[in-house]
Amino acid sequence: MRFHLIGAFCVFAIFQLAYSEKKLRQCNSQPYIDLNRIYGGSNARPMEFPHMASLKIRYLNSHICGATLIDDQWVLTAAHCFSRTRAPYNWKIKLGEHSLNNPDSTERDFNVIKVIIHEDYNSQNQLNDIALIKLNQSVDFKTNNHLKPICLADMKFIVRSGYHCVVSGWGKGEKGSVVTDVLQKLDQPLLNYEQCAKAWEGIGWPVTNKHVCVGDLKSQQGVCSGDSGGPVQCRLANGEWMQVGVTSWTTNICTATGYAAVFTQVNAYLDWINKNIESN
Ligand SMILES: *[C@@H]1O[C@H](CO)[C@@H](O)[C@H](O)[C@H]1NC(C)=O
C-alpha cells in the first residue's frame, strides 16, 4: 500500500514536470533572421521577429518599451519601463507591430490585466530590472500564425563571448528622434561578464552575474532608449535562437564608443518567471 502511494505520487510529479517542460518548449527557436542584412543596424523585415511586442501608453498610443511574447498570454519586459505608472489599465501591448506610425495588417492589440515587477527591482541601481505582463486574452496562434513566442535561454546557457546575437527594437537611431518608425535589428557580439564589468567600472550602475552585455566596444552602434525591455537573442551551437537578455541600460549617448549595453540575464530569472506565470 505504501509502495502504491509513493508510486502514484511519483507519476503525478513526473506529469507535472513534463507539463511545465512542454509549456516552456512551445516557443519558436528557429526564426528566419536574415543575417546577411543585419550588420550596422537595419530595418527588420515584417515579422522577422514574430515575438516582438511594443509596450505603449494606452490613451496616447505611444511606444515606451520593447517586450517579448514568451507564452500565449504573457509578455516579458524591463521593470524600469513602468516608472510612469504600474497600473495595468494605463498600458497596452501591440503584437505584430512593424511600423509604429503606419497600420500593419499583422498588428494585434491587447489590454494589460497584470503588471508584475520583480520584488527586488531597485530603481536606484537598476538591479533585477525585469517584469511580466499578462494580456487580457490568450493569443490565438491558429488564426495568428505570424505571431510566435520566443524561447528563453535555459540554465545550461553559459554567458561567454563569441555567441552571435541580435538586438531588436524601435529605439532612436538618430539624434533628435525618440523612436524609429520601422523595427530595427542590430548584430552584436555577446561579451563576457569581465569585459562588461570592466567597461562600466566606476561609471555605471553595478554589473552583476545576473546581467549579460552586448556590444562592439569599438563601434558606435548599439541599443538606445526606446529599445528598453526588448530582447537580445543569441544563436546556440545547435542553431537554435534563444532570448538571453532583456534590454536594461546603457549610456545616454547612444553613439559613444566603448560602451556595452547591459541586459537582465533571462536564465537567472527563469524560476521567477515560471512561478509567476503559474500562480497568476
Ligand atoms: C482585449 O483587448 C483588446 C484590445 O483593446 C480588445 O479588442 C479585446 O476585445 C479584449 N479582449 C477581451 C477578452 O476583453
Side-chain angles (χ1 to χ4, degrees), residues 182-195:
V182 169
L183 180 64
Q184 299 292 301
K185 57 177 180 174
L186 178 66
D187 187 275
Q188 293 271 273
L190 195 64
L191 301 178
N192 64 34
Y193 167 70
E194 286 75 21
Q195 289 171 307

Side-chain angles (χ1 to χ4, degrees), residues 58 92-93 108-113 135-138:
R58 189 157 70 102
K92 69 181 233 181
I93 285 285
R108 301 293 180 266
D109 281 324
F110 293 83
N111 292 342
V112 171
I113 55 170
L135 306 177
N136 70 329
Q137 61 182 74
S138 297

Side-chain angles (χ1 to χ4, degrees), residues 8 12 62 67 73 79 83 85 93 114 149 181 208 212 253:
F12 178 72
S62 53
Q73 208 173 351
S83 59
T85 164
I93 285 285
K114 267 182 191 162
D181 177 32
T208 72
V212 294
I253 311 151

Side-chain angles (χ1 to χ4, degrees), residues 203-267:
I203 41 174
W205 282 307
V207 176
T208 72
N209 57 4
K210 288 181 167 183
H211 285 125
V212 294
C213 301
V214 304
D216 180 346
L217 295 176
K218 289 185 215 79
S219 104
Q220 296 191 319
Q221 286 149 340
V223 298
C224 213
S225 68
D227 289 328
S228 281
V232 57
Q233 47 187 144
C234 302
R235 190 168 54 178
L236 309 186
N238 65 5
E240 292 186 333
W241 287 89
M242 301 285 160
Q243 180 172 358
V244 164
V246 176
T247 311
S248 183
W249 55 271
T250 186
T251 163
N252 56 8
I253 311 151
C254 304
T255 53
T257 2
Y259 291 95
V262 182
F263 295 72
T264 306
Q265 186 180 335
V266 165
N267 68 353

Side-chain angles (χ1 to χ4, degrees), residues 28 31-35 37-55 63-69 76-78 81 94 96-98 100 148-151 164-173 178-189 214-215 221-234 241-248 250 261-263:
N28 176 35
Y32 298 104
I33 300 175
D34 184 354
L35 294 172
R37 297 197 311 180
I38 215 168
Y39 294 96
S42 54
N43 288 354
R45 282 182 286 109
M47 294 305 103
E48 188 171 2
F49 299 89
H51 50 261
M52 198 67 201
S54 166
L55 173 66
H63 173 87
I64 300 295
C65 272
T68 50
L69 184 67
L76 184 66
T77 190
C81 297
K94 201 184 272 280
E97 179 76 298
H98 181 63
L100 291 180
K148 293 180 182 111
I150 195 169
C151 298
H164 190 138
C165 303
V166 171
V167 292
S168 49
W170 287 274
K172 64 181 165 190
V178 178
V179 289
T180 58
D181 177 32
V182 169
L183 180 64
Q184 299 292 301
K185 57 177 180 174
L186 178 66
D187 187 275
Q188 293 271 273
V214 304
Q221 286 149 340
V223 298
C224 213
S225 68
D227 289 328
S228 281
V232 57
Q233 47 187 144
C234 302
W241 287 89
M242 301 285 160
Q243 180 172 358
V244 164
V246 176
T247 311
S248 183
T250 186
V262 182
F263 295 72

